[in-house]
Amino acid sequence: MNLQLTPEGRLKHLLTIDGLPRHLLIELLDTAQSLSNIALRANKKLPLLRGRTVMNLFFEASTRTRTTFALAAERLSADVVNIDVSTSSTSKGESLLDTLATLHAMHCDMFVVRHADSGAAHFIAEHAPEGVSVLNAGDGRHAHPTQALLDVYTIRRHKPDFSALTVAIVGDVMHSRVARSELLALGTLRVGELRVVGPRTLIPPGLEEMGVRVCTDMAEGVAGADVIIMLRLQRERMRGAFLPSEGEYYRRYGLTPERLKLAKPDCIVMHPGPMNRGVEIASEVADGPHSVILEQVSNGLAVRMAVMAHILGAQVPVMEAA
Ligand code: NCD
């Protein structure tokens, strides 16, 4: 059973990029583009989700994702409740399903969930009452679909022809839900060349079979790239020794101004955040002219508005992009 699509092919939940058709990804990106102007207006609200209720349920730390989901729902005029799990009854031992049933008794339309366990969003969607949608805001190392959508949206704004692009994803791919979702989205959008770059210990098996080029040498990995996506070392998900040291990692895989020169002259540099300066990326690069890292945050708002509007069936008018 396809949990996230209705028989008509619309999104009911957004749990993963896996299995989403290309035309649906493009529709979501186009809707986000229509909504991108709203942020620049004095009045930043649209009445599209007036009367609907969104609950933000974060069991793991978050700055960007949680804030942009809350703001996205508010800009669509929904009522938004942010539940800080560390101060909720979950910390008193209440089970996940009891917490959800309690929240649902307040009649909400959507749960936005982040959880440390891979599969948590699917589990919640399976148990969600009829009429309640679940949006995955990151589950373990499995998926982070809205991050992938906002990343491909950001790429498209700078470089619209995906087939002509070489995209390099650098770092801790093994523990990264962002990388997993990005690889699926970029594959569906038929990117010309897809590379992952990092030490063997941080690259999951099976990528070559998906048509991804695996590079353990940073210079080779970024050579001629149009887009470089840097990843954080997910220390909280590592058990045992994957790396010699952070200093050694930076020497081999850190994105420095010298290494960036190996990429295309108009290459864009991305990072989902939070960044560790001097571990995976040099400050000069993070703050430099190639960086679109803060633009990713702004785009996250438009993309999350688009996903929420689509799932809750709101008609978004076609508007000129920002
Ligand atoms: C990422 C996440 O939480 O998966 N951050 C984000 O959502 N912007 C990446 C990370 O934590 O490194």
Side-chain angles (χ1 to χ4, degrees), residues 15 21 38 59 82 101 107 113 117 197 226 288 300:
L15 308 173
I38 307 295
F59 294 87
N82 289 304
H107 302 287
V113 186
D117 293 341
V197 190
D226 298 281

Side-chain angles (χ1 to χ4, degrees), residues 2 5 25 40 44 49 78 108-109 119 137 178 193 219 221 249 258:
N2 193 325
L5 291 178
L25 294 191
L40 307 178
K44 298 181 176 51
L49 298 186
C108 63
D109 299 285
V178 174
E193 187 178 328
Y249 180 80
E258 298 71 45

